[in-house]
Amino acid sequence: MKNYAKMSSTYAPTLKEDPAEAELASHRLLLRAGMIRKTAAGLYSYLPLAWRSLRKIEEVIREEMEAIGAQEMLVPMVTPAELWYDSGRWQQYGPELMRMEDRHGREFCLGPTHEETFTDLVRNELRSYKQLPVTLYQIQDKFRDEMRPRFGLMRGREFIMKDAYSFDATPEGMQRSYEEQKDAYARICERCGLKALPVVADSGQIGGDTSVEYMALADAGEAELVWCDCGFAADTEAATAGICVVEGESGELEKVLTPECSSIADLATFLGVPEAQTRKALAIVTGEGKPAVVFVPGDHEMNDVKAEHAFGEFHLMSDEEIELYGLVKGFIGPVGLPQGVAAYADESLRDSQWWIVGANQKDNHYVHANLGRDFAIAQACWVDVATAQEGDACPRCGKPLHGARGIEVSQVFQLGTKYSQAMGATFMDEDGKEKPFQMGCYGIGVSRTLQAVVEQHFDEHGICWPVCVAPYEVEVIPLDNKGEVAEVAARIATEAVEAGLEVVLDDRKERAGVKFADADLMGYPYQVVLGRRGVKSGTAEVKNRATGERVDVPLDEVASWLANAIVPQRA
Ligand code: ATP
Ligand code: MG
């Protein structure tokens, strides 16, 4: 028989003060509400209340996975290095991969993701096209030795992930499995109370061609997005927007003295032109070790992720390197570049003839520099590297894009045969030929989702859990710890449990103010407040935490009132 929980014995050590290390509201509130604690940098313990919420998120995930026929299982978190050598990722993956040796000197890593393990699992055993498709998933701790673990559960080193892997015979089959996961992910976000956008993503470390990220919209999000009323949305790392390039004026090539104007802002002000008329130059050394200069519209940035696709593991030149290659910091331009330094430019500048650029000479710029007449960009040197931003044209409909920030809560990828090919995971197809599996992989940050929910649901008093992921649905708050008030409160709590609700009773010997503050901080969706006056008049006050609405409800109707309000809001 289920019972209500008692606050007096719930391990939820609350904090009165804001913890100094917490920059994000959600991080601060999860700490203050006694839901998480930092064990070490990027390593968090989930206390009982957080654990209840996490289990609810996991339950939503399980239901949605079951609905599309994905099967839950579990592989070891520790992964033998051989598998990563097989896929080629042992060398590729950076220091985020926590590598280690066992007592026999064998190499292992802590799984940051498990494409290798799952591909290995099916090779040699999933043999026939008749058995396909198969989608397997697990909910497990992952480990990534993040350079800057921060924001609590948002960017931990050990964190909970749901990861799924689909195996299909054909690209069309993979596409179907991918669409099913993508749709399920949208439902998971919605059922967890998250406002999220599916955005076109960069495929990053995992590789493959097609990918979508679900971004929970939040000003504090680390990801930058652009979106359009037509439904288009993309990570700025992946968006190829129509950048509206502003032309410089036409005329003879003219060198102008621009003292101290080494930044675009200073230059534009000095010349009295919009920044967009100028061209920003970035000096880099490409992945192949070659010096190059990359031009983007003056009012745009070069995107690191896009640039990595174009140049490999490039880096921005240091001051020493700039000097070494004969460049002049702050005054770099395409006219008269030093020998051996290649000139690249963003695609958006292809049709722009008149540029305002550095003159490769201290305190000098060129105006009316003409593409074709005064300088050239080689055919192979047009690259898509500028970061899309608010106001650029939507690639789908041409309207101006909006900017937003988001928290990446999940991502789906079409992998194709990237891993199956590399690892020799094949099946016998209908035509009698051995073929590599067509794969997809799909990840949800479970612990990150929990914090993203808080980031979207809080006010100045604390968390406002949506019913679907609240640790408890109702808190009953007696204003007296003994006598009739305590008795009636316990009776209401019991009736609410009997009505199928998840209830906690604040039976602590605390002042009303303390109980109210804690209830608001912990954020249970409904509070039932009961005092002497209520007992006498036969009513309890029910408060909706999120809206602040208060209703007096007759004592013997409280449980059914709550059930009517809460059950339809469940995930
Ligand atoms: P990010 O760009 O934020 O580093 P990612 O794209 O590298 O994330 P994926 O490989 O797509 O992450 O992992 C799947 C999901 O796991 C992500 O969508 C995110 O929700 C979650 N996740 C990834 N890294 C972390 C982390 N350090 N802490 C918590 N959750 C994480
Ligand atoms: Mg991702």
Side-chain angles (χ1 to χ4, degrees):
M1 176 47 206
K2 275 196 178 163
N3 211 338
Y4 54 82
K6 291 178 181 171
M7 206 46 135
S8 60
S9 50
T10 296
Y11 188 62
T14 54
L15 305 175
K16 293 235 157 45
E17 304 294 321
D18 281 342
E21 84 246 36
E23 294 167 56
L24 288 194
S26 52
H27 183 197
R28 180 166 48 81
L29 290 171
L30 286 171
L31 285 166
R32 282 199 51 208
M35 297 190 72
I36 61 171
R37 282 295 178 266
K38 182 161 105 179
T39 301
L43 307 181
Y44 280 84
S45 301
Y46 311 110
L47 276 54
L49 294 179
W51 193 244
R52 290 181 65 91
S53 293
L54 283 168
R55 284 200 340 237
K56 288 190 176 178
I57 296 172
E58 294 183 1
E59 227 26 69
V60 169
I61 293 172
R62 290 195 169 98
E63 283 174 21
E64 291 297 337
M65 287 300 108
E66 195 171 321
I68 55 171
Q71 302 165 62
E72 185 172 9
M73 54 168 291
L74 190 64
V75 301
M77 182 198 187
V78 175
T79 310
E82 289 110 82
L83 299 183
W84 282 65
Y85 280 114
D86 269 7
S87 70
R89 275 208 291 188
W90 188 260
Q91 290 86 352
Q92 277 168 25
Y93 218 97
E96 280 173 24
L97 187 64
M98 186 84 157
R99 297 157 216 253
M100 58 201 186
E101 278 186 8
D102 70 5
R103 60 169 76 195
H104 307 292
R106 290 185 211 116
E107 290 178 300
F108 292 87
C109 64
L110 290 180
T113 169
H114 282 89
E115 285 74 18
E116 282 80 357
T117 308
F118 277 86
T119 307
D120 173 58
L121 192 74
V122 299
R123 71 174 157 184
N124 307 324
E125 294 211 79
L126 189 57
R127 292 295 309 137
S128 165
Y129 73 94
K130 289 181 200 149
Q131 296 163 281
L132 303 178
V134 168
T135 299
L136 304 170
Y137 79 97
Q138 61 176 347
I139 298 176
Q140 182 199 42
D141 269 14
K142 296 284 180 279
F143 196 96
R144 296 182 184 179
D145 199 1
E146 297 273 357
M147 168 113 99
R148 286 184 66 205
R150 59 201 165 128
F151 306 141
L153 307 184
M154 291 290 190
R155 188 165 297 284
R157 292 198 294 166
E158 182 174 333
F159 58 93
I160 307 173
M161 198 203 282
K162 169 268 180 181
D163 46 327
Y165 306 88
S166 63
F167 301 91
D168 273 274
T170 61
E172 299 72 42
M174 169 185 71
Q175 181 84 34
R176 262 195 306 277
S177 299
Y178 171 84
E179 296 295 340
E180 279 177 0
Q181 288 282 337
K182 199 172 105 189
D183 294 348
Y185 276 31
R187 292 192 295 271
I188 290 165
C189 284
E190 201 191 317
R191 290 181 59 185
C192 290
L194 278 180
K195 270 194 219 66
L197 271 185
V199 309
V200 177
D202 178 71
S203 338
Q205 287 264 29
I206 294 181
D209 324 308
T210 313
S211 177
V212 157
E213 289 164 344
Y214 282 92
M215 291 284 182
L217 297 175
D219 293 340
E222 284 186 280
E224 266 181 73
L225 328 173
V226 284
W227 61 277
C228 178
D229 303 322
C230 76
F232 172 83
D235 197 311
T236 54
E237 288 176 351
T240 305
I243 296 173
C244 174
V245 172
V246 181
E247 285 281 69
E249 273 173 43
S250 60
E252 289 306 308
L253 182 68
E254 183 186 338
K255 197 187 275 181
V256 289
L257 198 62
T258 51
E260 309 292 322
C261 294
S262 61
S263 76
I264 292 284
D266 290 346
L267 177 68
T269 311
F270 182 83
L271 295 177
V273 299
E275 290 187 10
Q277 261 188 34
T278 70
R279 304 291 174 252
K280 192 177 283 177
L282 297 117
I284 65 164
V285 177
T286 66
E288 292 172 343
K290 300 209 173 97
V293 171
V294 190
F295 297 97
V296 297
D299 60 339
H300 279 69
E301 302 298 331
M302 181 175 81
N303 187 275
D304 286 351
V305 174
K306 284 184 168 186
E308 219 164 89
H309 289 315
F311 308 118
E313 295 261 318
F314 77 99
H315 67 264
L316 291 176
M317 282 189 198
S318 64
D319 288 358
E320 291 74 40
E321 282 172 318
I322 287 179
E323 229 182 281
L324 176 75
Y325 290 112
L327 297 166
V328 185
K329 191 179 174 183
F331 300 91
I332 299 171
V335 184
L337 268 180
Q339 273 284 313
V341 179
Y344 289 83
D346 187 68
E347 283 286 356
S348 61
L349 295 171
R350 233 187 231 272
D351 296 325
S352 159
Q353 283 191 34
W354 303 100
W355 296 22
I356 297 174
V357 289
N360 297 311
Q361 192 182 333
K362 186 155 169 51
D363 292 339
N364 280 278
H365 278 86
Y366 281 123
V367 293
H368 324 309
N370 180 271
L371 173 63
R373 182 189 69 189
D374 305 318
F375 66 93
I377 303 289
Q379 202 45 248
C381 293
W382 292 101
V383 284
D384 175 20
V385 292
T387 306
Q389 65 191 34
E390 194 163 359
D392 288 344
C394 170
R396 220 182 265 167
C397 75
K399 283 208 209 108
L401 291 167
H402 308 286
R405 301 193 73 86
I407 300 161
E408 179 197 323
V409 286
S410 54
Q411 185 162 17
V412 291
F413 290 92
Q414 291 182 30
L415 295 169
T417 58
K418 182 179 150 102
Y419 291 90
S420 49
Q421 193 101 52
M423 296 181 69
T426 60
F427 65 97
M428 180 77 76
D429 205 356
E430 215 167 347
D431 56 10
K433 294 204 179 103
E434 286 287 324
K435 292 181 189 164
F437 293 107
Q438 293 285 338
M439 290 174 55
C441 71
Y442 319 96
I444 301 180
V446 177
S447 43
R448 186 184 280 184
T449 294
L450 177 78
Q451 193 171 323
V453 170
V454 178
E455 197 57 46
Q456 285 190 354
H457 301 269
F458 72 91
D459 63 17
E460 69 271 33
H461 304 294
I463 303 171
C464 307
W465 289 110
V467 163
C468 41
V469 287
Y472 292 98
E473 296 166 329
V474 178
E475 184 175 56
V476 180
I477 308 173
L479 300 178
D480 224 341
N481 293 303
K482 37 187 196 323
E484 220 184 338
V485 171
E487 276 162 35
V488 176
R491 197 179 75 221
I492 289 175
T494 303
E495 287 169 0
V497 169
E498 283 164 358
L501 304 175
E502 298 173 7
V503 184
V504 60
L505 173 74
D506 194 348
D507 59 337
R508 297 174 304 169
K509 292 191 172 54
E510 291 284 2
R511 287 181 295 111
V514 172
K515 291 185 178 183
F516 291 150
D518 281 353
D520 280 354
L521 176 62
M522 292 177 185
Y524 308 109
Y526 290 88
Q527 299 170 10
V528 179
V529 181
L530 190 71
R532 266 176 236 168
R533 209 159 2 113
V535 170
K536 216 173 271 167
S537 68
T539 59
E541 185 185 73
V542 181
K543 173 177 150 184
N544 178 319
R545 170 68 183 91
T547 64
E549 233 175 307
R550 294 163 194 269
V551 195
D552 283 328
V553 180
L555 293 177
D556 50 4
E557 289 170 26
V558 172
S560 57
W561 189 99
L562 288 168
N564 281 338
I566 289 170
V567 173
Q569 294 181 58
R570 284 194 181 146

